[in-house]
Amino acid sequence: MAFVRIIPLADAEPLESQLKSIRTTGTDTFHLDALVDTSILQFQIDLEIYKPIVIAFKILSSENLSLLPYIVKRCKIPLFAKIWKKKGKENSEQLSRKLTIDEVFENIWYRAEHDWFNLCKKLRSGDLTFTEFNKWFKTRDPGELRKELLLVDNGVKAKWVDERIYQVKNFDILRNCIYGAKVIIRVVNEFELKQENFIQIFDISKVEHVEDTSMKSLDRDLLETCSILREITKEQADCLEELIKCASLVKWLRDTMKGGLKELQVFVDLASISAGEGDLEIAKVNCLHSATTGYAPLIFSLGNDCDAKEFLEKCQDVWKDLDINPQLPKKLSDTARQLKWLKSVKKCHGAIEGTTLSQAEAINKKGVYRVGNLTNTPLLENPVLSDVIELRVPHKEGRSSSKDRYYRYEQLQDLQSRLMLVTGKEEKGKDDVERFMLILDSVVRLGSIYQKLVSNGCVLFSHWCIQIICNPSSTVCAFIQFRSDQESQSISTRMDEENKDISLVLQHLARFLEQCHSKWLDNIDQTRDTYFCLTYFTIDQIVILQKELVKAETDGGPSPLIFHLLSAVKKGCTKQDLAKAIASIQTTVQTGNNGTSSKANANSTMEKSSKNIKDVKETYLQKIDESSFASVLEASRKIRPNDIDRERCTTNEDQLMESPRTTLIQTQANPTSVSIKESLISRLDIQSREETIKEVLETLEELWKMFLSSFTNGVSDYLSVEHLGMILNKLAETGLNDIADLNIFIYFKTNI
């Protein structure tokens, strides 16, 4: 019996006994008058509307017995079944015993029916709160929920069912939106944004205890308003909450850094400088950089008149950083605790700014740059920028004193970096900084190309030095010297209408030196084409050979390490091999000096050497063809490697022994690189006069052309590239003779 099954907390033993008796007897043998009241059958009745009166259960009144079909039908609805069981459990616990059948009808049925009626009424109207709804409906699956709600109206579709499902579906969204809305409103109030621009968010934030609000209050208009906040997660809202907690830091950043993110980056760099190398200080700077950069859109880009849409766009930028760096709120909190330290850094920043700007101003007014050979070193070897750039700022203009301030290249770089940090947000000192930067960039460009010229062996500039006057009111802006002593003549440069600042003049000079460097490399390439042995060496190695081979017949001689380089053209080259090579080309050089082209003579010499090698090979091959191996071996014993061109080599060696200083070096003994440069400058008739940069460039161009022609024959302290090529070719010639002999012995070993 269904009734017995649906009242588990009631004492149904009497009913169960009667039911068991009926089942035991069987309905076929059980008397009908024991089941129903048959007295009514004595009268004529309409069988269509006849309902029998059950009398089998004596303990049930006829009224209660008539209610049983309704109870069974109701309990098939899950919602009513929950109410029915809940009421039964409450009454049983209250009486501390099972209920009687009559108590079930009196205390459970009528109350459950009453609660059921009220609950259905609230469901249909939407007056049911979300707390009550969650109490009776545990599922959130839209399909299952729809089935349960439809049973309230006996399975008939109703509009209210769709409304309740929509509201339940958006309930969690609303709950998150309310939390986010309240945080946003606190941001609006804390940072004094216009409240009228956030009306919708204010409406959402006014929803208190969303669980206790009626379902109908969650209408579509409110949910559409929530759509602007529906994507906000609790983590994102907490990120904004941390911004409110750190309001003092945010306001300080806004007040002190009007330049926004750009000035913040400068401040971070200065804080990094102030931090030094300590782990704790470095951690502070990293935390500052990460936190302030992540929150920058809300710190610097948020105006007081922004609306909700613009505000949320700024928030999205912050939340993107939050996704990458979940510790962003904590870092902002840690940075806020260091506000006192940040203020001290800012104060120090102001002092650095003043000092740095005053240095730039002093340099622009009194500074004197020197670029070139600063120490009058005979030959600079692989100079770096710190070797060729110097700045002096005199304590008193026109005088040198111990109070003068000197800057090397590294110090100028540091000053430049500090100027880049402290400028940009104010106009004060901006012109001085820009002029300092222009001049320094031009000076560095000039120093860089000078460094390349010297490193590549262009001796015209080995003692070159330019003095640059930064004072804009000075008539003369630069002095160009080709020797670093005071007696050397100099080329003075003055301003003109077209070039009104020293930075422009320096750009012209740098461009000229760059052209010289390009022409110098072209000259070396052309010489390589004539003297092929030069191709075995890099430019740096050629410069080393030029400096060392010129010492070949001095008392000290070249470095022993030089012969390792020369082995590239003459295997196992010795000092004697080098001396012979130098002696053998002496006549060629002298002939060239008397009017014959040295390059032509060099080519002729190489052609002769090639012919000699060919003759040697042919002689040996002929011997092999005509004789047996024994006769060839005998011939090889008579012809030694040193026998090739022995007569000529012996003659040169005798001359070398008789007059060891009558060599190629001697032909260069008188002039030096310095003396030739001074001679060239004297020939240009440079007087102590001031010239425009255009006139100076014309003078320098003429000097360059004279240098290229004069240095072809070399000087006593620096071997020319051509002479070096001739020596290398001569060494290669003897090396080829050795190769010819080696090939012959290979023939012997293989029994050819």
Side-chain angles (χ1 to χ4, degrees):
M1 188 178 181
F3 177 74
V4 175
R5 291 195 300 270
I6 63 177
I7 51 172
L9 299 178
D11 184 7
E13 185 178 352
L15 286 175
E16 289 177 348
S17 297
Q18 292 182 10
L19 183 60
K20 184 178 180 181
S21 175
I22 294 172
R23 288 174 177 172
T24 303
T25 304
T27 54
D28 294 337
T29 59
F30 204 85
H31 294 284
L32 184 62
D33 58 356
L35 292 176
V36 296
D37 184 4
T38 57
S39 61
I40 195 172
L41 297 177
Q42 298 175 3
F43 304 95
Q44 189 175 0
I45 59 173
D46 187 355
L47 295 178
E48 295 293 334
I49 62 173
Y50 170 72
K51 290 183 179 180
I53 299 173
V54 179
I55 60 173
F57 304 101
K58 301 291 186 179
I59 62 173
L60 290 176
S61 65
S62 58
E63 183 181 355
N64 290 342
L65 193 60
S66 65
L67 291 175
L68 283 179
Y70 296 102
I71 295 174
V72 172
K73 182 179 179 180
R74 282 279 192 271
C75 286
K76 289 180 180 179
I77 301 173
L79 179 57
F80 181 84
K82 293 175 185 177
I83 297 173
W84 174 262
K85 291 180 181 179
K86 180 176 179 295
K87 289 297 182 182
K89 185 177 181 181
E90 288 175 354
N91 276 269
S92 179
E93 290 177 352
Q94 186 177 359
L95 297 173
S96 300
R97 60 175 174 80
K98 288 187 176 183
L99 302 175
T100 64
I101 297 299
D102 291 335
E103 287 174 338
V104 169
F105 286 98
E106 292 174 5
N107 299 332
I108 298 178
W109 164 249
Y110 292 108
R111 293 179 183 178
E113 179 74 2
H114 179 268
D115 289 351
W116 159 255
F117 179 81
N118 287 336
L119 183 59
C120 291
K121 183 179 179 181
K122 286 184 176 181
L123 268 174
R124 294 187 185 98
S125 65
D127 290 328
L128 190 70
T129 66
F130 283 101
T131 300
E132 292 175 314
F133 185 88
N134 292 333
K135 176 181 177 182
W136 298 112
F137 297 93
K138 301 302 181 183
T139 182
R140 283 293 183 270
D141 179 75
E144 294 295 325
L145 193 59
R146 182 178 296 277
K147 290 179 182 180
E148 287 195 38
L149 293 177
L150 285 174
L151 290 175
V152 173
D153 280 345
N154 297 319
V156 179
K157 291 184 178 180
K159 183 179 179 181
W160 68 266
V161 174
D162 294 330
E163 289 291 337
R164 298 298 90 78
I165 292 174
Y166 176 79
Q167 290 159 352
V168 169
K169 185 178 179 180
N170 289 278
F171 170 74
D172 292 333
I173 296 175
L174 175 63
R175 185 165 51 186
N176 289 337
C177 287
I178 291 172
Y179 179 69
K182 290 180 178 180
V183 173
I184 291 174
I185 293 305
R186 287 200 291 273
V187 173
V188 170
N189 294 332
E190 181 66 40
F191 297 105
E192 300 178 353
L193 306 182
K194 289 185 178 180
Q195 295 184 1
E196 56 268 28
N197 293 338
F198 295 83
I199 296 298
Q200 290 179 315
I201 297 179
F202 267 98
D203 291 340
I204 299 172
S205 68
K206 290 176 183 177
V207 178
E208 295 289 343
H209 307 294
V210 63
E211 294 85 357
D212 297 330
T213 58
S214 63
M215 298 184 75
K216 68 180 181 181
S217 65
L218 194 63
D219 58 14
R220 293 184 181 272
D221 291 337
L222 180 61
L223 289 173
E224 286 177 4
T225 302
C226 289
S227 64
I228 62 175
L229 302 177
R230 68 187 305 162
E231 301 298 329
I232 298 179
T233 64
K234 187 177 185 303
E235 290 74 16
Q236 292 172 340
D238 290 340
C239 178
L240 296 180
E241 185 71 33
E242 198 61 51
L243 185 73
I244 300 169
K245 294 179 182 178
C246 300
S248 57
L249 170 66
V250 174
K251 292 175 181 178
W252 179 78
L253 289 170
R254 288 180 176 179
D255 293 340
T256 57
M257 299 181 191
K258 303 296 184 182
L261 191 58
K262 181 179 179 181
E263 189 173 345
L264 171 65
Q265 185 61 52
V266 171
F267 179 75
V268 169
D269 292 339
L270 285 171
S272 179
I273 295 172
S274 302
E277 298 181 357
D279 293 340
L280 180 60
E281 287 72 17
I282 292 174
K284 286 181 184 179
V285 174
N286 291 338
C287 186
L288 166 68
H289 182 264
S290 181
T292 52
T293 303
Y295 277 96
L298 293 176
I299 296 175
F300 299 109
S301 303
L302 194 63
N304 291 339
D305 57 348
C306 75
D307 57 17
K309 181 180 179 182
E310 183 183 353
F311 176 82
L312 290 174
E313 287 175 353
K314 305 296 182 186
C315 289
Q316 288 295 337
D317 293 335
V318 175
W319 292 333
K320 286 178 183 178
D321 279 321
L322 179 65
D323 292 338
I324 299 172
N325 182 11
Q327 296 298 316
L328 185 61
K330 183 179 183 302
K331 290 182 177 181
L332 185 68
S333 177
D334 293 341
T335 301
R337 288 196 292 270
Q338 302 297 329
L339 184 56
K340 183 177 179 181
W341 175 70
L342 296 176
K343 289 180 178 179
S344 67
V345 171
K346 183 63 178 176
K347 184 178 180 181
C348 179
H349 173 199
I352 292 174
E353 180 178 357
T355 303
T356 305
L357 289 175
S358 64
Q359 287 183 67
E361 182 181 0
I363 290 170
N364 287 341
K365 288 182 179 179
K366 301 185 294 183
V368 179
Y369 283 96
R370 291 177 67 225
V371 179
N373 191 334
L374 306 179
T375 58
N376 199 21
T377 304
L379 289 174
L380 288 175
E381 294 186 4
N382 299 319
V384 294
L385 285 176
S386 59
D387 297 328
V388 300
I389 295 177
E390 179 187 74
L391 170 66
R392 180 176 68 90
V393 181
H395 180 65
K396 291 184 178 180
E397 196 167 353
R399 298 182 182 179
S400 297
S401 70
S402 58
K403 294 183 179 181
D404 292 351
R405 186 162 188 173
Y406 288 86
Y407 295 80
R408 305 298 291 183
Y409 174 65
E410 291 79 6
Q411 294 170 308
L412 290 170
Q413 275 187 309
D414 178 65
L415 178 59
Q416 184 182 35
S417 299
R418 285 187 282 120
L419 282 171
M420 292 175 68
L421 289 176
V422 302
T423 57
K425 66 180 189 300
E426 296 181 1
E427 291 296 323
K428 180 183 177 182
K430 189 174 182 180
D431 292 340
D432 277 327
V433 172
E434 288 182 354
R435 185 168 186 265
F436 171 82
M437 296 291 189
L438 282 173
I439 295 176
L440 181 58
D441 288 344
S442 299
V443 166
V444 171
R445 179 184 175 187
L446 195 65
S448 297
I449 190 60
Y450 172 78
Q451 174 190 0
K452 292 179 181 178
L453 280 165
V454 173
S455 298
N456 293 155
C458 187
V459 295
L460 175 63
F461 299 99
S462 58
H463 292 82
W464 185 86
C465 184
I466 178 171
Q467 186 170 297
I468 302 158
I469 312 299
C470 294
N471 187 349
S473 61
S474 175
T475 304
V476 178
C477 61
F479 297 93
I480 303 173
Q481 294 177 305
F482 285 86
R483 283 188 63 186
S484 297
D485 54 23
Q486 297 296 325
E487 298 179 357
S488 175
Q489 288 182 306
S490 62
I491 304 174
S492 302
T493 309
R494 60 178 171 81
M495 306 285 189
D496 56 28
E497 291 299 322
E498 185 178 352
N499 302 281
K500 296 182 179 181
D501 192 77
I502 182 59
S503 61
L504 300 174
V505 173
L506 292 176
Q507 291 175 20
H508 286 295
L509 288 172
R511 194 177 300 114
F512 169 76
L513 291 187
E514 288 165 354
Q515 293 171 355
C516 289
H517 181 250
S518 178
K519 293 175 182 177
W520 178 250
L521 295 181
D522 290 342
N523 178 64
I524 293 177
D525 288 341
Q526 292 172 7
T527 310
R528 287 182 192 269
D529 293 339
T530 303
Y531 304 100
F532 75 94
C533 288
L534 288 171
T535 60
Y536 295 150
F537 303 95
T538 65
I539 290 181
D540 290 341
Q541 290 172 331
I542 288 175
V543 172
I544 293 172
L545 291 172
Q546 286 177 280
K547 295 176 183 177
E548 292 296 327
L549 295 191
V550 80
K551 306 174 185 176
E553 296 192 354
T554 61
D555 293 335
S559 169
L561 298 176
I562 209 69
F563 297 104
H564 294 290
L565 274 179
L566 294 176
S567 294
V569 294
K570 172 67 169 71
K571 186 176 180 180
C573 183
T574 64
K575 187 174 182 180
Q576 290 73 23
D577 294 328
L578 177 60
K580 290 177 182 179
I582 292 174
S584 66
I585 67 167
Q586 178 187 1
T587 304
T588 304
V589 172
Q590 291 174 344
T591 303
N593 290 338
N594 292 329
T596 305
S597 170
S598 61
K599 292 185 179 180
N601 284 304
N603 291 335
S604 175
T605 302
M606 290 307 300
E607 290 174 2
K608 290 179 181 179
S609 66
S610 299
K611 185 176 183 303
N612 289 338
I613 294 171
K614 184 177 180 181
D615 292 341
V616 170
K617 288 185 177 180
E618 289 178 353
T619 300
Y620 279 98
L621 290 173
Q622 185 178 3
K623 287 288 184 181
I624 291 172
D625 292 336
E626 295 175 355
S627 305
S628 63
F629 178 80
S631 63
V632 173
L633 183 60
E634 182 180 357
S636 68
R637 290 171 180 168
K638 295 179 180 179
I639 302 175
R640 299 180 178 84
N642 292 334
D643 290 337
I644 301 172
D645 206 9
R646 173 171 292 277
E647 183 178 356
R648 182 182 58 181
C649 292
T650 304
T651 302
N652 289 338
E653 186 175 1
D654 293 340
Q655 292 176 353
L656 182 64
M657 295 301 293
E658 292 174 1
S659 181
R661 293 292 180 260
T662 309
T663 64
L664 173 66
I665 307 303
Q666 188 179 18
T667 65
Q668 304 181 147
N670 293 326
T672 65
S673 59
V674 175
S675 64
I676 285 185
K677 283 182 286 186
E678 288 295 321
S679 174
L680 295 177
I681 295 173
S682 299
R683 285 164 59 187
L684 288 175
D685 192 24
I686 298 174
Q687 303 296 329
S688 297
R689 65 177 185 272
E690 300 170 3
E691 296 182 338
T692 64
I693 185 59
K694 183 178 180 180
E695 295 169 335
V696 168
L697 292 176
E698 290 174 354
T699 302
L700 292 176
E701 182 64 34
E702 186 177 355
L703 180 62
W704 173 256
K705 292 178 181 178
M706 294 168 58
F707 161 74
L708 287 181
S709 61
S710 299
F711 270 65
T712 300
N713 294 326
V715 290
S716 63
D717 55 351
Y718 204 82
L719 196 63
S720 72
V721 180
E722 284 197 356
H723 287 160
L724 175 62
M726 295 171 68
I727 294 173
L728 295 176
N729 278 10
K730 190 62 183 178
L731 286 172
E733 176 186 334
T734 59
L736 289 172
N737 289 337
D738 292 344
I739 293 173
D741 296 336
L742 179 62
N743 288 339
I744 296 300
F745 288 112
I746 291 175
Y747 295 150
F748 293 161
K749 290 179 182 178
T750 56
N751 297 323
I752 295 178

